[in-house]
Amino acid sequence: MTDLQDHPLISDRMAKLRSVDCPPQDFRRHVADIARLLVLPVTANFKTDDISVTTPLTTMTGRKIARPIVLVPILRAGLGLSEAFLQMLPEANVAHYGMARNEETLQPEIYLERFPDDVSKSEVIILDPMLATGGSAVAAVDGLKKRGAKHLHFVCVVASPEGLQSLEASHPDVPVTTAVVDDGLNEKGYIVPGLGDAGDRIFGTL
Ligand code: PRP
Ligand code: URA
């Protein structure tokens, strides 16, 4: 399932992000703004438990988030989303998945996996601004499912139709929340119109 968040605030930040003239310090800020705007839709169907709350006047039934939350930014570019998510979900643990796409094969190469031992009871939110071929997203979901994750969510800023199709085909149970769906991929596997290499635009070209 794809949840496309078409909202004027998101469109405003997207237009700024896409501009080739947007420097890293502004790019980081606009990505973080979009991340903040995606927190509500991503968490909208989280399971809650009823709790008793004593107000200064009476006692009532409130709700609390039932499951622990684990954020999984895919390094590097996913780090551009994680701080904003953490501000809204301060109780979350942050795991890290280090992956770099081989620019010739377009396959992800994993260089870091740091997860809590047991993620089976957690809401696991994978964060990566770009869903291009879908290789990195599929590999991340594969790895997390192997560790027992059952309640997975994938969040991106720009998705391609090819990436959405690939993730849906491999993991139809994982909902995707995205700010935009672009036209498609070019011959180098970049999303068009896209915003270029998200990692480089967040951290500067290395
Ligand atoms: C980018 C992006 C995704 C991946 C998407 O990361 O952040 O992780 O490419 O492409 P895919 O859907 O075709 O797998 P990259 O590998 O460039 O690493 P970086 O974040 O360190 O720049
Ligand atoms: N990774 C990026 O950072 N940008 C793209 O357009 C595709 C993959």
Side-chain angles (χ1 to χ4, degrees):
M1 187 201 79
T2 303
D3 181 8
L4 173 61
Q5 286 294 310
D6 185 14
H7 188 285
L9 289 185
I10 291 182
S11 303
D12 177 88
R13 302 311 191 274
M14 276 309 308
K16 295 183 165 102
L17 265 191
R18 288 189 192 274
S19 167
V20 70
D21 295 324
C22 182
Q25 61 270 34
D26 295 338
F27 193 94
R28 285 193 287 270
R29 190 161 47 85
H30 301 318
V31 168
D33 281 352
I34 292 173
R36 262 185 285 281
L37 294 166
L38 295 179
V39 173
L40 287 189
V42 174
T43 55
N45 295 318
F46 274 15
K47 185 174 181 301
T48 57
D49 287 334
D50 286 351
I51 51 166
S52 171
V53 181
T54 304
T55 79
L57 303 178
T58 186
T59 299
M60 60 164 288
T61 301
R63 298 200 295 165
K64 73 175 180 62
I65 302 291
R67 301 187 179 110
I69 300 170
V70 179
L71 303 177
V72 189
I74 300 184
L75 309 186
R76 294 172 301 162
L79 292 172
L81 304 173
S82 54
E83 190 53 41
F85 267 76
L86 207 45
Q87 279 169 11
M88 294 294 287
L89 306 168
E91 69 282 21
N93 281 322
V94 185
H96 293 91
Y97 227 140
M99 265 182 223
R101 194 170 76 151
N102 180 312
E103 292 306 334
E104 277 165 21
T105 63
L106 298 185
Q107 294 305 306
E109 293 172 357
I110 296 170
Y111 58 85
L112 178 75
E113 295 177 273
R114 287 297 298 259
F115 304 122
D117 287 339
D118 184 5
V119 288
S120 62
K121 296 185 178 61
S122 301
E123 304 279 3
V124 177
I125 307 177
I126 303 171
L127 302 169
D128 192 333
M130 309 305 278
L131 178 65
T133 65
S136 305
V138 170
V141 176
D142 284 346
L144 286 157
K145 282 189 175 173
K146 270 192 200 134
R147 284 166 180 79
K150 293 187 178 64
H151 313 289
L152 282 150
H153 313 263
F154 186 86
V155 179
C156 58
V157 173
V158 185
S160 73
E162 296 91 329
L164 288 170
Q165 209 175 6
S166 163
L167 189 52
E168 167 77 21
S170 298
H171 297 293
D173 56 311
V174 178
V176 178
T177 305
T178 186
V180 293
V181 179
D182 271 6
D183 298 343
L185 301 176
N186 70 10
E187 67 287 350
K188 290 186 172 159
Y190 274 78
I191 303 175
V192 182
L195 42 75
D197 185 312
D200 284 0
R201 298 209 58 196
I202 291 169
F203 295 112
T205 308
L206 300 176

